[in-house]
Amino acid sequence: REFFYTAATNNPKFDQMEGNPICVQIPWDRNPEALAKWAEGQTGYPWIDAIMTQLRQEGWIHHLARHAVACFLTRGDLWISWESGMRVFEELLLDADFSVNAGSWMWLSCSAFFQQFFHCYCPVGFGRRTDPTGDYIRRYIPKLKEYPNRYIYEPWNAPEAVQKAANCIIGVDYPKPMVNHAEASRLNIERIKQIYQQLSHYKGLSLLASVPTNPEDAKSPGMDDSHGHSSSSASCSLKHSKVATLRKRERPELESEEKCSRPKVQRPCVAGGNVNDIQ
């Protein structure tokens, strides 16, 4: 708190990107529809939706839950400005604080204070590691309460018979994932990597070479779920031996992310270009 208070001192643009001397200028997408789905807890990712539902109902969420939804909105999946998420938090959080709110959003979007953009919160694996049985999801998304633990974090993978038995058909009673996390996160890492390469003051350029661009090299040190079910999809986070120690030291909760399954949704587009241009 005191750190962000100090950083905000004599900076009237602390809660904005443009004109803010400490904030990286990132060309975020403008997508009101996607922003609304995130804010209303309708992303199709139960972990993210449960968090946003608790925030709207109770006005408070755990700090790691704030990390997860902030990453999802910005550099992780939706590529929407941290300013938009900051305003939602300012409206809904009972403990909202101007400097802490703005500073935390800049930090979690890698716009300031934190530069290891190649680490990304998985909207499936991070929640599953935190709450393996999915009780949190069942509390805030009662539509999914009858889903078995195996599918509670990724109900789109449940067989039709399981969905019917749970009285919740994905795409009818609960939304399908609005984005393919494995592809969106990989795309966004490349986007922000290109932005950082243009910053002459960035001191971590040597680490950029450590970010694998081949999907087969992007395997995380993930874990199988408690039922022995292992996903065959691309990894949610990128692993490299050169940065593993840094990650463990600085962000221990990012160390053991699971692999996410790959929901069949439309691939995200790059603003001003084709997705294949950077792969």
Side-chain angles (χ1 to χ4, degrees):
R1 181 184 63 184
E2 284 71 20
F3 173 82
F4 287 134
Y5 285 178
T6 303
T9 301
N10 296 326
N11 184 356
K13 300 287 188 178
F14 190 70
D15 62 338
Q16 303 173 35
M17 181 180 74
E18 294 187 8
N20 186 344
I22 66 172
C23 184
V24 176
Q25 304 298 296
I26 298 175
W28 303 106
D29 291 341
R30 295 183 180 274
N31 192 333
E33 181 180 357
L35 175 62
K37 288 182 178 180
W38 172 84
E40 296 292 336
Q42 295 293 315
T43 68
Y45 283 95
W47 170 246
I48 300 298
D49 294 344
I51 294 171
M52 295 306 295
T53 299
Q54 182 191 12
L55 174 60
R56 191 163 291 277
Q57 291 179 356
E58 302 176 7
W60 182 89
I61 48 177
H62 190 274
H63 75 277
L64 291 181
R66 304 181 193 204
H67 293 188
V69 295
C71 184
F72 186 89
L73 179 70
T74 57
R75 63 186 176 86
D77 293 82
L78 301 185
W79 198 254
I80 292 176
S81 174
W82 60 270
E83 295 170 273
S84 297
M86 177 195 65
R87 286 190 287 268
V88 172
F89 272 28
E90 184 176 3
E91 174 188 354
L92 299 178
L93 277 174
L94 295 176
D95 62 348
D97 178 291
F98 172 82
S99 298
V100 174
N101 192 26
S104 295
W105 275 96
M106 281 190 280
W107 164 45
L108 290 163
S109 64
C110 284
S111 296
F113 310 119
F114 182 73
Q115 298 169 330
Q116 294 184 27
F117 55 84
F118 37 83
H119 297 322
C120 181
Y121 288 93
C122 175
V124 173
F126 183 42
R128 181 175 281 152
R129 182 173 65 85
T130 305
D131 177 26
T133 61
D135 291 340
Y136 179 77
I137 291 174
R138 292 186 177 90
R139 175 175 178 177
Y140 291 103
I141 309 180
K143 290 181 180 179
L144 299 174
K145 65 181 180 180
E146 299 300 328
Y147 269 78
N149 293 354
R150 178 175 182 174
Y151 298 111
I152 189 68
Y153 282 94
E154 40 190 354
W156 59 86
N157 280 339
E160 184 178 357
V162 173
Q163 296 186 32
K164 289 182 177 180
N167 296 313
C168 181
I169 306 299
I170 303 305
V172 178
D173 303 303
Y174 180 75
K176 295 180 180 179
M178 63 183 296
V179 68
N180 183 317
H181 170 74
E183 294 186 358
S185 60
R186 184 166 56 247
L187 170 65
N188 290 343
I189 285 173
E190 283 297 321
R191 297 168 98 175
I192 202 166
K193 174 182 176 181
Q194 292 176 13
I195 292 168
Y196 267 87
Q197 284 177 323
Q198 299 174 19
L199 300 178
S200 59
H201 65 272
Y202 178 54
K203 299 180 180 179
L205 284 176
S206 60
L207 293 179
L208 291 176
S210 302
V211 182
T213 56
N214 187 330
E216 293 302 317
D217 296 333
K219 300 294 179 65
S220 74
M223 58 182 182
D224 294 339
D225 65 28
S226 58
H227 297 273
H229 174 66
S230 179
S231 169
S232 60
S233 68
S235 165
C236 291
S237 61
L238 302 179
K239 177 185 179 183
H240 190 278
S241 58
K242 193 172 183 179
V243 298
T245 302
L246 287 174
R247 176 171 64 178
K248 183 176 181 180
R249 183 190 312 127
E250 185 167 347
R251 305 295 312 144
E253 69 270 19
L254 294 181
E255 182 179 7
S256 300
E257 291 188 353
E258 271 186 300
K259 299 175 183 179
C260 283
S261 60
R262 300 175 61 136
K264 296 180 180 179
V265 296
Q266 185 176 359
R267 299 178 71 183
C269 294
V270 184
N274 187 284
V275 66
N276 295 320
D277 292 341
I278 65 169
Q279 290 185 335

